[in-house]
């Protein structure tokens, strides 16, 4: 998982570097806005079933919860596209992004539930390689629309590979309506709170781009988004670490030892974040270009802001997966959303992109204090 996260983070970062350099700050801001809507729709539309796959699939009920989640993904696909076409303004591209991510997460969460980390890594690397290959092939004629289609197409290709791997693992017997009926009530009781919690959390984490876009325009959004894409590497590391420990917490085995290991990893990563600002100026100017040099202080502050995010990880995962207290996550998510929206409207008009980073710091500090209680 560690090696796979590093590889995938680098591949994903290279993709965004190409896009940012080729589109420029203004168009990159527009691209980030449409991509953000797709990411938000994907996470809100998950309805908590991704976490349910891990919690229940880590035991013996995998086929039932997999069937429930697969049917839900197909229904969302049939809903997303017509609604997005009605909205216009290329929102159908956001719907394709959302649908592709929904299907890919069905595969990857199933791999995590069964602790098939090699399959998980293979699927994600394959998708990132496809995305990067398509960008390189079309880099001389890239537009905002093309980049979003490339992003979605790579996810669909990765889903196809993962589906084949699942068929091999399940020996072509992947679905069970009988088990799905038996699992529906416990899955619903768990996932409804997760859906509300993650939905609100997703709104809080994705609402920054639309607010900055509305308050400060596309160029400032592009500057902020370039720093955010670099920082997203850290969130991918956090997801990969949680992906290892979530099924272990769910299985209720040796939780104390696993919790200590999780805390140790979080402290080490947090210490590494303190070093990043030393190299950020050279790093950003080399990879994004001098036109993004104003993103340096934004990136520095965002790196510091992710320290409380990492430190809260062990308690957050333990509460959700070990104890199944998904309703507590809902309470924390509501608080973080309120802090975030208030922070963006206070700091962005005054400080621009740096103000958004300040708001992110307050969001993550609130989460740390809420989980370590």
């Amino acid at each position: 998982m560690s090696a796979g996260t590093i590889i995938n983070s680098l591949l994903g970062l290279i993709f965004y570097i190409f896009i940012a350099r080729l589109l420029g700050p203004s168009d990159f801001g527009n691209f980030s806005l449409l991509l953000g809507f797709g990411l938000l729709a994907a996470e809100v539309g998950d309805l908590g079933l991704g976490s349910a796959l891990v919690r229940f699939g880590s035991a013996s009920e995998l086929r039932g919860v997999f069937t429930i989640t697969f049917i839900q993904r197909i229904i969302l696909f049939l809903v997303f596209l017509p609604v997005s076409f009605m909205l216009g303004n290329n929102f159908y591209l956001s719907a394709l992004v959302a649908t592709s991510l929904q299907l890919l997460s069905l595969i990857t969460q199933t791999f995590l539930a069964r602790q098939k980390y090699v399959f998980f890594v293979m699927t994600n690397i394959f998708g990132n390689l496809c995305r990067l290959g398509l960008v390189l092939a079309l880099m001389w004629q890239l537009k905002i629309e093309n980049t979003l289609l490339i992003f979605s197409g790579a996810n669909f290709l990765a889903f196809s590979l993962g589906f084949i791997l699942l068929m091999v693992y399940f020996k072509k017997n992947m679905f069970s309506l009988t088990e799905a009926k038996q699992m529906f009530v416990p899955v619903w009781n768990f996932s409804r709170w997760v859906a509300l919690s993650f939905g609100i959390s997703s709104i809080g984490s994705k609402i920054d781009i639309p607010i900055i876009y509305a308050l400060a325009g596309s160029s400032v959004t592009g500057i902020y988004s370039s720093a955010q894409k670099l920082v997203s590497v850290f969130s991918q590391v956090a997801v990969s670490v949680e992906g290892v420990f979530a099924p272990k917490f769910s299985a209720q085995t040796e939780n104390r030892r696993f919790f200590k290991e999780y805390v140790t990893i979080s402290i080490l990563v947090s210490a590494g974040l303190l070093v990043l600002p030393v190299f950020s100026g050279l790093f950003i100017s080399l990879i994004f270009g001098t036109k993004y040099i104003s993103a340096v202080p934004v990136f520095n502050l965002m790196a510091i802001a992710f320290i409380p995010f990492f430190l809260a990880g062990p308690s957050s995962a333990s509460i959700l997966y070990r104890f199944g207290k998904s309703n507590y996550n809902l309470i924390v998510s509501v608080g973080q959303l309120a802090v975030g929206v208030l922070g963006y409207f206070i700091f962005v008009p005054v400080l621009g992109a740096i103000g958004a980073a300040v708001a992110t710091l307050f969001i993550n500090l609130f989460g740390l204090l809420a989980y370590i209680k």
Side-chain angles (χ1 to χ4, degrees):
M1 287 289 283
S2 298
T5 298
I6 293 172
I7 294 171
N8 280 303
S9 298
L10 290 175
L11 292 174
L13 183 59
I14 292 171
F15 168 78
Y16 287 118
I17 289 171
F18 272 109
I19 299 303
R21 291 181 72 97
L22 292 170
L23 294 181
S26 182
D27 280 346
F28 187 60
N30 293 323
F31 162 80
S32 299
L33 181 69
L34 288 172
L35 179 64
F37 281 128
L39 296 172
L40 177 61
E43 294 186 20
V44 173
D46 177 74
L47 302 182
L49 292 178
S51 296
L53 259 175
V54 175
R55 178 161 175 78
F56 295 101
S58 297
S60 58
E61 301 90 348
L62 181 58
R63 285 187 176 87
V65 68
F66 181 87
T67 303
I68 294 171
T69 309
F70 183 83
I71 294 172
Q72 177 253 352
R73 299 298 199 250
I74 298 302
I75 292 174
L76 282 178
F77 174 74
L78 298 176
V79 171
F80 277 160
L81 288 183
V83 171
S84 62
F85 272 109
M86 292 171 60
L87 294 174
N89 294 326
N90 288 332
F91 280 108
Y92 68 92
L93 295 170
S94 297
L96 285 176
V97 169
T99 303
S100 66
L101 287 169
Q102 285 268 332
L103 292 175
L104 183 57
S105 70
L106 168 68
I107 301 297
T108 55
Q109 293 299 97
T110 304
F111 287 147
L112 289 180
R114 305 311 271 182
Q115 300 188 47
K116 296 294 181 181
Y117 301 130
V118 174
F119 286 174
F120 174 87
V121 170
M122 285 174 55
T123 302
N124 283 323
I125 289 178
F126 178 77
N128 275 312
L129 285 175
C130 290
R131 186 176 296 128
L132 187 56
L134 290 170
V135 166
L136 292 175
L138 301 172
M139 62 182 299
W140 305 116
Q141 51 184 353
L142 276 183
K143 298 179 180 179
I144 296 174
E145 296 82 359
N146 293 349
T147 55
L148 291 168
L149 288 174
I150 288 171
F151 188 93
S152 304
N155 290 335
F156 282 121
L157 289 172
F159 164 78
S160 301
L161 173 66
F163 197 83
I164 293 172
L165 293 174
L166 279 178
M167 289 185 67
V168 173
Y169 175 69
F170 281 126
K171 298 179 181 178
K172 299 183 180 180
N173 185 21
M174 299 168 54
F175 302 96
S176 174
L177 288 174
T178 301
E179 293 182 25
K181 292 177 182 178
Q182 295 172 346
M183 288 298 302
F184 183 80
V185 173
V187 167
W188 165 248
N189 289 336
F190 175 80
S191 64
R192 60 179 175 174
W193 297 113
V194 175
L196 286 172
S197 171
F198 282 13
I200 292 173
S201 178
S202 297
I203 292 172
S205 63
K206 301 297 188 302
I207 203 171
D208 52 351
I209 296 295
I211 291 179
I212 296 170
Y213 193 92
L215 295 176
S218 59
S219 294
V220 172
T221 303
I223 294 297
Y224 169 78
S225 185
S226 64
Q228 183 197 51
K229 293 299 181 289
L230 289 175
V231 175
S232 68
V233 173
F234 311 142
S235 63
Q236 291 175 35
V237 172
V239 169
S240 72
V241 174
E242 182 176 303
V244 172
F245 286 97
K248 298 181 185 299
F249 286 150
S250 298
Q252 300 291 315
T253 57
E254 299 184 83
N255 281 309
R256 186 180 296 275
R257 179 171 69 87
F258 292 139
F259 184 82
K260 289 181 178 179
E261 291 176 358
Y262 201 162
V263 170
T264 302
I265 292 172
S266 300
I267 292 174
L268 291 174
V269 173
S270 298
L273 292 177
L274 292 173
V275 181
L276 287 176
V278 177
F279 309 99
S280 60
L282 177 64
F283 188 57
I284 290 178
S285 62
L286 283 177
I287 64 174
F288 280 109
T290 54
K291 56 189 173 184
Y292 286 92
I293 197 66
S294 56
V296 171
V298 183
F299 172 77
N300 291 342
L301 187 53
M302 291 282 281
I304 301 300
F306 262 74
I307 292 177
F309 176 82
F310 272 101
L311 294 178
S315 297
S316 173
S318 183
I319 290 171
L320 179 60
Y321 293 104
R322 179 184 178 186
F323 301 106
K325 300 293 185 181
S326 51
N327 54 344
Y328 187 76
N329 282 51
L330 172 62
I331 297 171
V332 177
S333 297
V334 171
Q336 287 183 306
L337 176 61
V339 170
V341 171
L342 183 63
Y344 293 136
F345 277 97
I346 291 176
F347 296 115
V348 171
V350 179
L351 301 174
I354 295 178
V358 173
T360 302
L361 175 61
F362 280 106
I363 292 170
N364 291 338
L365 282 173
F366 178 90
L368 176 63
L369 295 174
Y371 282 118
I372 303 179
K373 62 185 182 65

